[in-house]
Amino acid sequence: MKPVFSLLFAWCAAIAAVAQEPWTITAEQIDASDYYGATVANGMLGLVSSPEPLRISHAVQGGLYDLYGRGRTSNFLHGINVLDVELRIDGTQITASTAEAYTQTLDMRHGTFRGTFGFGRKAHIEYEYTALRHLPYSCLMRVVVTAREEFAMTVSNVHTVHESLRDPQGFIGRVDYGCAPLDICTSLAASPGGGIGMGGASTFLFTNPYDRPEVVHRAARGAGVHAQEFSVRLKAGERYEFSVVGTVLSSQTHADVRNEAERLTVYTAVEGAERLWRKHFEAWDCLWESDILIEGDPQAQQDIHSMIYHTYAFVREGSGLSVSPMGLSGFGYNGHVFWDADVWVFPALLVLRPELAESMIEYRFQRLDAARHNAFMHGYRGAMYPWESSQTGAEESTAVNIYGPFEHHVTGDVALAAWQYWCVTQDREWLAAKGYPMLAAIADFWTSRAERNSSGEYEIRNVIGADEWNINTQGGKTVDNNAYTNGVARVALEAAGKAARILGLKPDPQWTEVARRLVFRRMPDGVTREHDTYAGEKTKQADVCLLAFPLGVIIDRTQIRRDLEYYLATVPRKRTPAMSKSIYSILYARLGDRERAEYFFRDSYLPNLNPPFRVIAEFDGGSNPYFITGAGGTLQSLLFGFGGLEIAEEGIRAGRGVLPAAWRSLTLKGVGPDRKTYVVK
């Protein structure tokens, strides 16, 4: 493996030789044929950039699903796009092909997206937009046009209802609140199944409301497209600024979609653009009080800021929503919630911003009754969480997908997250009201799921583990005693017992009995066997290695290294999920092997980056970013590997970190509820 190490390190050195901004990623060459948009999001609304200037490629609303599309299951719904702007100068529409010196920038520090370009000798244009962090359903774009010579300009704010939505309608209305009128452009539609109303509204904001141009409505340009527009004439040297503020929501959260969309749009308009920007920036300032700082590697610093930014952007405090593998960047995996949320994203967010992580565990708590019913349907007690979850908490995997009925480790993953939340926050009230009910129900599931054999051991038979390439439908065999599934079941059972004792309750003795006697097999050379019939087959991702981290079921360093080096050889280098490599990095860091820890840290994301904003795909060559699961894993490699942190029963504990040779220091800033800072040099 040494030549591969050398090759990757040489590549990284070449990248680092170019100075990188820690907070911004700028695209100076925009190729629409090889373009993966950057997302600005506020945890409820995601806006994904387009290679075309002044436009959004699509809007994504968090937690909003309907039954349509792939596999007769629920899918994420497209939000109505209310922020697009068109400029026509002396009758010519500005497009990417007519824009000169066109650059786009993702500003991670402020959660905004910017573009700048020229239009011949006539004008220079700048624009900036965002999903407002302090307002969950609102978005804002600011446009500044500087005239180089005199010209006439027409500005259109275009609404687009995605083709997947039904019965689009467009409206225009005027609100006069005593200062200057607001012209409100509104779009309504129904979800593909017809059960959810979708709405969007927007208005222009002018720097001087008393000198506003006349705004007119342009009727449908096609199905689901209409606009409002105004015209002005600019003189040479004149700087002209305007904004568009918009609202995107649905009947799932608002019974009166049209009125509420228009009310919120009026509210934001009266707040005013400058006040909206200020509050938005203040909200991001607060989030960035928790940060990871790398001294000595500018490119890694930029990349880590991107991962933290997307993690913050895809989750919202108080929303009761979790994250799909692609967050609010798109519609991959139907927007469903998997173990990705609980095992890969949640721990990093819990350490950095516990109040955001609380929304993710609240999502699971609110679906506890659905998990109980799922267990009942499958003949078990307690609560069995679905492999794919959306709005209701029912199983959302397709009928032809074998993972839904058998990939039960997700139920243990929910317990792991709940226990970690208690450990970090020490919130006894939460533990009593929400944590323990989840943990107890999950423990009851595992005691009913495990089967006692003739030797008095407990086995979990006919199961699919984290390694989905070795499953229970190949060659007529069953997969029994998958290592990771048994490991996370043990952790869940033990956590339920600990939680009971913390609360002064008596735990079910069966929880301890099953946890103590769950089976873990080894091969003749001492390697932990992935499952009872495993015989060296290729594996998709980390499974056995997860017993060491995050589960802590295996703690012997010799055993950790033995398992790690054996299973590393079974995972192909290409087209496997990114997050496994983060586990390898963490384990090598804890074993004191800085070279391999650094290699797998970089290998966890560098081969998966897509242009022009270094957005992470699920695997190298993947085309469905942003893969927040992979970002969460890489962040854990800094927090729990290089940074040496550990989530222990008494809270976050600092251990001994180990850094890549070129890094001078690693600072973990604003960690945990007490916002502590840890420095590794």
Side-chain angles (χ1 to χ4, degrees), residues 36 69 86 104 120 180 225 327 343 374 447 471 478 512 521 523 535 555 568 591 596 621 627 667:
Y36 297 84
E86 290 180 0
Q104 294 182 333
V225 181
V343 171
N374 196 30
T447 58
I471 61 175
T478 63
T512 302
R521 312 285 193 201
M523 293 188 276
I555 58 175
L568 267 174
L591 291 170
R596 289 193 176 189
F627 189 51
T667 300

Side-chain angles (χ1 to χ4, degrees), residues 118-167:
F119 184 67
R121 296 187 303 175
K122 294 188 176 183
H124 177 75
I125 295 100
E126 303 172 17
Y127 68 96
E128 184 173 22
Y129 68 82
T130 192
L132 290 164
R133 184 72 206 190
H134 65 293
L135 296 174
Y137 304 103
S138 300
C139 50
L140 176 65
M141 179 184 287
R142 173 167 50 199
V143 182
V144 178
V145 180
T146 303
R148 293 169 175 163
E149 59 183 44
E150 186 173 351
F151 57 78
M153 179 175 69
T154 299
V155 178
S156 300
N157 168 217
V158 183
H159 280 212
T160 304
V161 175
H162 191 264
E163 60 185 8
S164 65
L165 304 180
R166 292 171 40 181
D167 306 323

